[in-house]
Amino acid sequence: MERLRQTPSQTVGPFFAYSLTAQQYGYPYDSIVHHALLGPATPGEHIYITGRVLDGQGAPVPDAVVELWQANAQGQYRTAPINPRDDDGSEFTGFGRVGTGTQAGAVFRFETIKPGAIGPGQAPHINVTLFMRGSLHGLRTRLYFEDEAAANGQDELLNAVPSERRATLLARCVAGGGLPGYHLDIHLQGAEETVFFDV
Amino acid sequence: MDLVNFDVQPPHLYPPYKSTILRSPTRPLLPVRELIKDLSVPVFGESVLQQFDNDLTKNARVNGEPIGERIKVAGRVLDEAGRPQPNVLLEIWQANAAGRYVHRSEVHDAPLDPNFLGGGRVLTDREGRYSFYTIKPGAYPWGNHHNAWRPNHIHFSVLGHQLAHRLVTQMYFPGDPLFEFDPIYQSVPAHARELLVAKFRMDWTDPEFALAYEFNIVLGGRHQILFE
């Protein structure tokens, strides 16, 4: 059977903000998703997630866009369409997007809930996609939680990662910020290079 | 087995595009498709769109028409088997007709257009079709190397229905003399570059109003065909 050829990937460039993350950056356009994946009434443990994207010299990347996609507290992915202008903000979208250009130190920060495990052999995790200037492809990885050691030990995907590199996917617990917090630095290169996935 | 689908993609590290040198992974990506192949991705409903999101010539007007050549861009979003992909969200952004982005980090001194933002979005219909109006973007210089200029292009961010379908790409215009000098365009294997170039469609023009270009988007993961 004849297959169509895929459209090649290209870089997001440095100037995505006024379209993809307009409200975060203060441009006169709306945004379809934000740093908050939840509303005040969303069931589950409310947490925040911070992190940085670090280049081959360890410098924080200030022009990356980070997307999270995750299950809710019951381990279910949202299947209903996201209708930002109809939702009252209380529903869990499971999808968030921020740029790294508005916080000191090029930190990204999300507010969400701790996801439930989506099934046996699956530890709680969040899918992470990165785009940035200098990246000809989107980079895909996962965020796991360091305080889920037992579940992490059973996770099928984590177990497919060479053991010496698993720590690159573990967000560490941090104090402060009013909510339970987790921090994950994503290293594009170097000794701590994050494991990225080929999908 | 035909691996042409893999070959259309640029490498992560492409030194002529200097920013890739410190920002590309150095280790092989971990093959995980078998573990996550069923993972859906967010789907957006109609309310994601405002009235003029699919018309960049109207959605940022302050006191008049934006300056430049008005065009229509239309096409279909398909998977590798040619199946139309409905309800795919396309987010688009671009420079104005003078080659200037509405972005605070932009340093090129071409004029801003008070009536043009350059950002918009559109959902594909049940047949995977989309269309939007905009202004043909201009070329602009950038700092990659001496006298570096980007060919005219429109950025596309595509939210398909699987994680492997998440794509960011750029649409170029036919016959651009800057192609051979642009490392971002050149990062794609030579035989696949045509896939990034829209087709001029005289038969799709709006008479007395706008010229038209066709740009079809085919979604699939890097190794998707290996697992069919």
Side-chain angles (χ1 to χ4, degrees):
Chain A
M1 179 175 139
E2 189 181 353
R3 311 289 299 185
L4 299 180
R5 292 189 294 166
Q6 291 172 23
T7 302
S9 176
Q10 293 270 270
T11 177
V12 76
F15 299 146
F16 58 81
Y18 67 89
S19 179
L20 297 185
T21 53
Q23 284 169 277
Q24 179 195 346
Y25 283 74
Y27 290 105
Y29 195 48
D30 62 343
S31 294
I32 55 164
V33 288
H34 302 269
H35 71 284
L37 285 68
L38 78 181
T42 300
E45 183 187 9
H46 291 209
I47 62 172
Y48 72 89
I49 289 169
T50 58
R52 298 177 298 170
V53 182
L54 301 164
D55 74 11
Q57 293 179 328
V61 171
D63 52 6
V65 54
V66 182
E67 290 179 349
L68 302 188
W69 173 234
Q70 66 167 88
N72 66 16
Q74 289 76 46
Q76 296 154 340
Y77 281 97
R78 180 177 176 129
T79 53
I82 299 171
N83 275 301
R85 268 168 275 279
D86 296 343
D87 293 348
D88 61 5
S90 63
E91 284 198 55
F92 185 65
T93 62
F95 184 57
R97 175 194 284 164
V98 299
T100 57
T102 62
Q103 296 228 29
V107 168
F108 60 81
R109 186 179 194 282
F110 290 93
E111 288 173 25
T112 186
I113 53 167
K114 191 124 178 237
I118 60 177
Q122 299 262 11
H125 65 270
I126 296 175
N127 302 288
V128 181
T129 303
L130 296 177
F131 298 97
M132 73 197 99
R133 173 177 65 87
S135 185
L136 289 161
H137 294 273
L139 296 173
R140 294 173 178 84
T141 186
R142 270 189 183 180
L143 179 155
Y144 288 89
F145 300 89
E146 71 167 1
D147 56 359
E148 298 282 350
N152 290 342
Q154 304 294 315
D155 187 83
E156 208 177 346
L157 185 142
L158 208 47
N159 281 318
V161 175
S163 56
E164 71 278 11
R165 299 189 68 196
R166 283 176 204 157
T168 69
L169 305 182
L170 292 184
R172 62 183 164 81
C173 302
V174 288
L179 296 170
Y182 295 88
H183 185 91
L184 181 70
D185 282 339
I186 297 168
H187 295 261
L188 298 170
Q189 299 179 351
E192 298 174 90
E193 182 173 316
T194 296
V195 174
F196 297 105
F197 301 146
D198 193 349
V199 298
Chain B
M1 185 170 284
D2 185 1
L3 288 178
V4 69
N5 289 289
F6 174 72
D7 290 334
V8 304
Q9 297 295 345
H12 287 273
L13 175 64
Y14 189 72
Y17 175 22
K18 288 183 179 167
S19 296
T20 65
I21 294 171
L22 290 175
R23 293 184 167 194
S24 52
T26 64
R27 307 196 193 194
L29 305 192
L30 188 75
V32 296
R33 185 167 162 75
E34 280 299 284
L35 295 173
I36 63 167
K37 64 182 177 185
D38 296 327
L39 181 58
S40 66
V41 294
V43 171
F44 287 89
E46 289 289 338
S47 95
V48 77
L49 301 179
Q50 307 256 51
Q51 184 181 7
F52 294 122
D53 272 354
N54 64 348
D55 190 342
L56 284 66
T57 73
K58 291 197 173 112
N59 73 356
R61 278 192 199 181
V62 173
N63 57 9
E65 291 267 351
I67 301 295
E69 181 187 338
R70 189 165 46 214
I71 60 171
K72 178 167 72 177
V73 178
R76 300 180 85 192
V77 180
L78 307 166
D79 70 7
E80 290 174 290
R83 293 175 291 215
Q85 302 292 296
N87 209 51
V88 169
L89 179 67
L90 304 177
E91 296 168 272
I92 45 193
W93 68 101
Q94 62 170 89
N96 70 20
R100 172 81 182 255
Y101 283 95
V102 177
H103 196 288
R104 290 187 194 94
S105 305
E106 167 72 283
V107 294
H108 183 37
D109 66 353
L112 279 168
D113 183 337
N115 294 303
F116 189 74
L117 173 73
R121 55 181 79 103
V122 62
L123 281 171
T124 59
D125 70 11
R126 294 173 71 171
E127 284 78 47
R129 296 183 192 283
Y130 75 91
S131 121
F132 62 91
Y133 290 99
T134 189
I135 296 294
K136 190 172 181 184
Y140 57 86
W142 60 307
N144 188 70
H145 55 276
H146 174 67
N147 204 20
W149 292 77
R150 291 303 324 280
N152 302 337
H153 64 277
I154 298 175
H155 294 263
F156 280 70
S157 169
V158 186
L159 271 162
H161 297 215
Q162 306 168 26
L163 199 64
H165 283 177
R166 183 77 182 94
L167 174 72
V168 168
T169 190
Q170 299 180 26
M171 181 201 107
Y172 299 87
F173 290 84
D176 197 315
L178 290 170
F179 285 161
E180 62 181 297
F181 306 104
D182 179 50
I184 294 177
Y185 176 80
Q186 297 268 335
S187 69
V188 171
H191 68 87
R193 291 173 194 157
E194 72 202 70
L195 300 170
L196 295 174
V197 182
K199 289 187 181 65
F200 175 66
R201 290 291 301 257
M202 191 66 188
D203 54 331
W204 285 7
T205 55
D206 289 355
E208 320 300 329
F209 187 76
L211 295 179
Y213 292 88
E214 177 180 16
F215 184 58
N216 296 317
I217 296 171
V218 178
L219 302 177
R222 279 164 51 85
H223 286 167
Q224 180 144 358
I225 196 166
L226 297 176
F227 297 98
E228 292 291 332

